[in-house]
Amino acid sequence: MSLALAPLPRRAAALVPVLPLVAVPALLALPLTGDGAGPADVASALVVGYCVIRLLRERRRPLSATAALVLGLPVAGIALAALGASSPQAGLTGMGRYLQVFVLVPATVLMLVRDRAGFRVLAWSFVGLAGWQGAVGVHQYVTRTGASYQGEDVRAVGTFGAEDVMGMATAVSLGLVCAVGIALGRAPVRQRAAAAGCALVLLLPLALSFSRGAWIATALTCALQLALAGLRRALRVAAAVAAAGVVLVGGFGVGTAQLQERMDSIAQVTDAPDQSVVDRYTLWASAAGMWREHPLTGVGLKNFPEYRDGHATLALSSGSDVEGAGAEYQRQALLSPHSMYLLVLSEQGLIGLLTLAGSWLALLVCGVRRLLRVRHHGPGLDCGLVACGVLVWLLTDFVYGDIGGPSTVLTAMGLGLAAWWALAGGERWDVVPRGGLRDRDEGAVSR
C-alpha cells in the first residue's frame, strides 16, 4: 500500500511550482479597478521573484544555453531603444514592460513548469479564465450591459470593461485554442470530451466580442491545429463546429444581423472601410514613416504618440469612442499603430524587430519540429498542439494588435507555454526497457 501511494506526493510536489503561475490568469477574472498595474501584473512580478528564490535555493542552472539565447535575444533591441526614449523615466518604464512580457515571464514559465502535467494545469487555467470571461460577456450581450457597439450596449467585453474591448476576446481566444489542443491530443477520453465541449461553448462569446482580428487569428490557428492533428480528426471537428454554428446563429438567432454585418466588413476593408479601419491604415502609414526616418533604432520606446501626428494624414480621427459596460462616454486617444510588428519597427527599428521576431521565429521552428516528432507515437501531443497554437495565435494577432491593457500578461504567459514546449518539453521522456519511451505524465509507452 505504501508503495502504491508513494507517487502521489511526488506528483503533487511537482505541481507546486505551477500554482503561482495559475494565480496570474485567475486574478484576471477579477473586475478591474483604476489604472496602472492590475493584480495579475503584480502577481506576474511576484512569480518572477518566486522563481529566482527557488533557483537560488535549489542551486541549479536556470536555463540551457539555447533557451538563454532565444529568450534573451530581444534584450539587446529593447535596451538600445530605451536609450532613445524621450526621458529616462519613459525609457525605464517601456523597457520594464517589454522585458516583463517577452523575456522575464516567459522564462519564468519555462523554469517553473517541470513536466507535462504542470503544463496541462496551466493550459486548463487559460480555459477556465476564458469560460468565466465568456460567461460574463454573454450576460452583457443578453442584458444589454456591454460596451457600446453601433449605438447599443451589446459588445461582450467581460470584466475588462469598455476601455479594453480586446481583453475578453484575447482571453476567450487563447482559452479556445488551448481547449482545441487538449481535445485533439491523446489525453483520457473524459478530458478530451470536456475540452471539446469547452471549445464549442467558447465560440459564442468569441462571436459576441465582435472582434474581427480575434476571429481571423482563432480560425487560422484552429485550422492549423486540426491539420497537424490529422485529416480524420480535422473533418470530425470541422463538422462539429459547423453544426454548433448553425445551432447558435441559425437556430437561436444569436446576433444574426450584427454578426453578419461585422463579418461582411472583413471583406470591405479595402472597398468601403469604416472609420476604425481608416484609422488603422493611417496609423500603420505613420509607423512606417517613423521607421523610414530612423531605420535602425527607431524613434525610441514609448515615443510613437509624440511622432504620430507628424507622419499621419488628415484621415486620422482624434480617437475612438468608449462607452458602456459601466463607463461613461469618452474619447480614447490612439497611442499605438495597433500592430505589434509596426510598433516595434517604429520605436525600435530593424534591430529591435529582428531580435524580437527572431526569438519568436526560433520558438515556432523548435516547437513545430518537436510537435512533428510526437504527432504519431510520442507523448505530449496535446501539449505541443496547445503551445504551437497559442504561439501562432499571438503571431497572427500581432499583425493588427499590440500589447497594452491588463490582458497583456496573458501574452507573456502564452509565450511561456510556447517556450516550455519548444525548449524543454520534448526532453522529459524516460527510457524504458525494450527501446520504448515512457511518458512520465501519461504512463504510456511509445515505440
Side-chain angles (χ1 to χ4, degrees):
M1 181 65 69
S2 60
L3 293 176
L5 295 178
L8 294 178
R10 195 178 305 121
R11 287 198 171 191
L15 294 178
V16 170
V18 183
L19 298 182
L21 296 172
V22 174
V24 176
L27 289 173
L28 279 176
L30 300 177
L32 300 175
T33 56
D35 300 326
D41 285 301
V42 175
S44 69
L46 294 176
V47 170
V48 172
Y50 167 76
C51 180
V52 172
I53 293 174
R54 284 189 66 94
L55 292 175
L56 292 176
R57 291 183 59 184
E58 296 173 359
R59 297 181 180 179
R60 65 184 180 92
R61 189 176 65 176
L63 294 172
S64 66
T66 302
L69 175 62
V70 172
L71 293 179
L73 189 60
V75 176
I78 295 171
L80 184 61
L83 297 176
S86 58
S87 67
Q89 181 181 1
L92 290 175
T93 302
M95 184 171 66
R97 185 61 159 169
Y98 272 92
L99 291 178
Q100 174 205 11
V101 176
F102 298 116
V103 180
L104 296 178
V105 173
T108 298
V109 174
L110 170 60
M111 289 183 283
L112 291 182
V113 174
R114 300 296 177 85
D115 51 31
R116 281 177 284 275
F119 182 99
R120 293 180 184 114
V121 169
L122 188 55
W124 273 109
S125 73
F126 275 64
V127 179
L129 173 64
W132 168 250
Q133 292 291 350
V136 174
V138 172
H139 178 267
Q140 290 170 335
Y141 176 83
V142 172
T143 59
R144 300 297 193 265
T145 56
S148 178
Y149 178 76
Q150 295 184 347
E152 299 183 65
D153 294 343
V154 294
R155 187 168 191 175
V157 292
T159 63
F160 293 96
E163 294 83 0
D164 185 13
V165 294
M166 285 301 299
M168 191 209 77
T170 299
V172 170
S173 297
L174 291 178
L176 194 153
V177 169
C178 289
V180 170
I182 296 171
L184 294 175
R186 287 188 285 268
V189 175
R190 290 184 179 179
Q191 188 173 151
R192 284 187 282 124
C198 290
L200 291 175
V201 169
L202 290 174
L203 288 174
L204 177 58
L206 178 61
L208 298 180
S209 70
F210 296 104
S211 172
R212 294 169 293 198
W215 295 346
I216 295 172
T218 304
L220 290 176
T221 300
C222 291
L224 178 62
Q225 288 177 306
L226 290 171
L228 290 173
L231 180 60
R232 292 183 179 179
R233 288 185 178 182
L235 294 176
R236 289 199 299 266
V237 175
V241 171
V246 170
V247 172
L248 292 176
V249 178
F252 294 104
V254 177
T256 305
Q258 291 167 321
L259 284 176
Q260 186 62 48
E261 182 179 350
R262 192 66 166 171
M263 290 178 183
D264 292 341
S265 69
I266 296 176
Q268 298 171 351
V269 293
T270 56
D271 298 332
D274 56 28
Q275 185 58 48
S276 65
V277 176
V278 172
D279 285 340
R280 183 159 300 186
Y281 285 164
T282 306
L283 291 169
W284 288 0
S286 180
M290 297 179 200
W291 167 69
R292 282 192 293 269
E293 288 189 0
H294 305 82
L296 289 180
T297 59
V299 298
L301 290 184
K302 301 182 75 68
N303 276 352
F304 180 87
E306 181 178 343
Y307 285 80
R308 181 199 63 185
D309 292 340
H311 296 83
T313 66
L314 295 177
L316 182 65
S317 65
S318 60
S320 58
D321 296 334
V322 173
E323 188 178 13
E328 298 293 334
Y329 174 81
Q330 57 180 303
R331 295 285 289 176
Q332 191 174 57
L334 302 174
L335 303 178
S336 74
H338 294 284
S339 170
M340 192 67 218
Y341 301 111
L342 288 175
L343 177 62
V344 174
L345 192 63
S346 62
E347 293 190 342
Q348 302 182 37
L350 278 175
I351 295 176
L353 182 63
L354 289 176
T355 54
L356 264 175
S359 175
W360 301 335
L361 182 61
L363 290 179
L364 183 61
V365 171
C366 293
V368 172
R369 285 180 59 188
R370 287 216 164 117
L371 176 58
L372 294 177
R373 290 178 190 172
V374 305
R375 180 168 59 171
H376 297 296
H377 303 293
L381 175 63
D382 56 336
C383 298
L385 290 172
V386 168
C388 293
V390 168
L391 183 57
V392 169
W393 190 95
L394 291 173
L395 296 183
T396 305
D397 182 70
F398 282 165
V399 174
Y400 37 77
D402 50 46
I403 60 174
S407 60
T408 299
V409 71
L410 277 181
T411 299
M413 300 290 289
L415 289 173
L417 290 176
W420 183 86
W421 174 256
L423 303 174
E427 300 174 355
R428 306 300 178 95
W429 295 356
D430 289 335
V431 178
V432 297
R434 298 182 183 178
L437 292 174
R438 181 178 299 278
D439 182 353
R440 292 188 295 191
D441 305 317
E442 297 169 1
V445 176
S446 62
R447 305 201 179 270

